[in-house]
Amino acid sequence: MAKAKESIKTEQASGRIVKALSGYYYVRAEGDSPDSQTVQCRARGVFKKRGLTPLVGDEVRFSLTENGEGTVEELLPRSSELIRPPVANIDLAILVFSVTEPVLNLQLLDKFLVHIEHAGIPAVLCLSKQDLETEGGFAEEAASAASAVNRIYRKLGYEVYGTSSRKGAGIQELKERLRGHLAVFAGQSGVGKSSLLNALVPGLTLETNEISNRLGRGKHTTRHVELINVAGGYVADTPGFSQLDFGELGIDDLSYCFIEMRELSPDCKFRGCTHVHEPGCAVLAALEAGEIEQSRYDHYVLFLTEMKEMKRRY
């Protein structure tokens, strides 16, 4: 009897999903080195019945089947969950934006920050392709973009890292920041996320694509979510995307996702102040006094309008 119990024990294990592809989940057993083989698993049908989907980053209990594959038996509680990209237990978000090629879009940057703040994950900004500040035909545009990001976002408490995958600049500093974390790299297509990961992990050969000059954006090179070992931590390499919607956000949540508004809103005269037209609004007063960046406020109003229109449509 004891022997039977023991064999059941050895067949049950804890691990983390490091890749999801075509209905399979690739699990690395707890305590295994990042170089060790993963177990190809299917998920139990009961998850579907409960409306649960295993995500990359999930800590799981799994059992081994006779053919050397496995079954995900149980999802352990998540500390965080992102819908787009679909990853769990992320504790650091690296938002990668290039200083040019494609042009740095502050509206898109703020949109990403809203989603990351809503998920309660600390965000770090990474400005890629910084060699283009001094080389190529867009040096002035690139230098101006980098200066704007450093001026606006450092003041809000965000860390900003400048990198050049081509020249290896800033790579070691970013690697140190990633140490021990389960991080996600996010940003629009073509900003150099794959090139950055290739620079961070010698020997990694993620496919990269040149920017399409006609569209000003890159082709999607990453087609599934996968965790890559970096400096004793993990980075989720996620499909490039430039479209984000506010489907999972409530209108009341939006101002909370802007750090400066979150800090000022307790001083507003009215609870539930939208910071658009109300008298005694601390945010509008700070904007008037030049204490809040105009671009950030304009993006807030734009997102608020977008959310109201979405609500009206549904």
Side-chain angles (χ1 to χ4, degrees):
M1 193 70 176
K3 267 185 186 174
K5 266 188 181 169
E6 208 166 66
S7 70
I8 288 170
K9 245 186 224 173
T10 55
E11 283 176 10
Q12 291 272 334
S14 297
R16 188 187 294 278
I17 297 174
V18 296
K19 183 166 81 169
L21 187 62
S22 306
Y24 282 102
Y25 300 96
Y26 295 83
V27 178
R28 177 161 292 128
E30 202 175 273
D32 278 4
S33 77
D35 305 322
S36 61
Q37 287 290 311
T38 56
V39 180
Q40 181 175 287
C41 297
R42 288 281 193 191
R44 284 184 67 199
V46 70
F47 293 130
K48 206 167 194 178
K49 285 178 189 162
R50 291 180 190 158
L52 293 172
T53 305
L55 297 176
V56 168
D58 264 329
E59 292 180 319
V60 298
R61 297 278 301 158
F62 69 102
S63 61
L64 294 172
T65 52
E66 286 170 7
N67 62 0
E69 294 191 353
T71 305
V72 175
E73 302 283 354
E74 185 187 349
L75 299 181
L76 300 182
R78 294 168 179 164
S79 60
S80 67
E81 181 185 337
L82 287 173
I83 291 170
R84 237 199 276 187
V87 276
N89 298 317
I90 294 293
D91 62 9
L92 186 66
I94 311 291
L95 298 189
V96 185
F97 277 74
S98 54
V99 289
T100 186
E101 291 187 9
V103 174
L104 201 151
N105 181 336
L106 290 182
Q107 183 188 319
L108 191 58
L109 173 52
D110 282 337
K111 207 172 217 188
F112 270 97
L113 281 172
V114 163
H115 283 263
I116 297 300
E117 289 286 345
H118 183 250
I121 299 167
V124 165
L125 308 185
C126 174
L127 296 179
S128 63
K129 307 185 185 181
Q130 288 223 303
D131 49 285
L132 297 178
E133 285 181 50
T134 52
E135 299 171 14
F138 299 99
E140 197 177 316
E141 175 188 89
S144 166
S147 167
V149 169
N150 278 293
R151 179 179 59 79
I152 296 168
Y153 296 92
R154 282 186 188 277
K155 195 168 67 178
L156 295 170
Y158 291 112
E159 298 167 64
V160 182
Y161 288 79
T163 61
S164 166
S165 303
R166 198 159 62 85
K167 297 202 163 179
I171 299 299
Q172 196 53 42
E173 291 86 343
L174 185 60
K175 190 182 272 193
E176 283 307 312
R177 184 65 183 88
L178 291 166
R179 190 174 295 280
H181 286 283
L182 205 172
V184 65
F185 271 33
Q188 74 187 107
S189 307
V191 295
K193 295 190 296 296
S194 295
S195 299
L196 200 53
L197 281 164
N198 286 340
L200 284 162
V201 186
L204 188 69
T205 51
L206 294 176
E207 182 193 347
T208 61
N209 265 321
E210 292 301 309
I211 292 292
S212 151
N213 287 327
R214 188 174 65 81
L215 295 172
R217 61 174 185 259
K219 297 171 186 171
H220 300 322
T221 49
T222 310
R223 289 175 181 83
H224 62 272
V225 181
E226 182 168 357
L227 296 185
I228 293 161
N229 181 55
V230 179
Y234 282 113
V235 169
D237 184 31
T238 61
F241 55 92
S242 55
Q243 296 303 310
L244 289 169
D245 64 56
F246 294 112
E248 69 271 19
L249 237 75
I251 285 173
D252 297 340
D253 300 328
L254 183 63
S255 67
Y256 183 84
C257 299
F258 282 77
I259 289 178
E260 59 275 54
M261 295 188 188
R262 182 158 80 222
E263 289 170 356
L264 286 166
S265 58
D267 300 328
C268 290
K269 186 176 178 182
F270 299 104
R271 276 188 66 186
C273 181
T274 64
H275 317 306
V276 176
H277 52 71
E278 293 89 344
C281 171
V283 170
L284 288 173
L287 182 70
E288 187 73 27
E291 292 159 11
I292 284 183
E293 194 63 37
Q294 187 68 48
S295 67
R296 291 269 292 169
Y297 181 77
D298 290 346
H299 296 156
Y300 165 74
V301 173
L302 195 74
F303 300 159
L304 194 64
T305 307
E306 194 179 315
M307 288 171 79
K308 282 177 178 171
E309 279 172 5
M310 266 181 69
K311 207 173 174 188
R312 216 172 285 129
R313 278 204 302 273
Y314 299 111

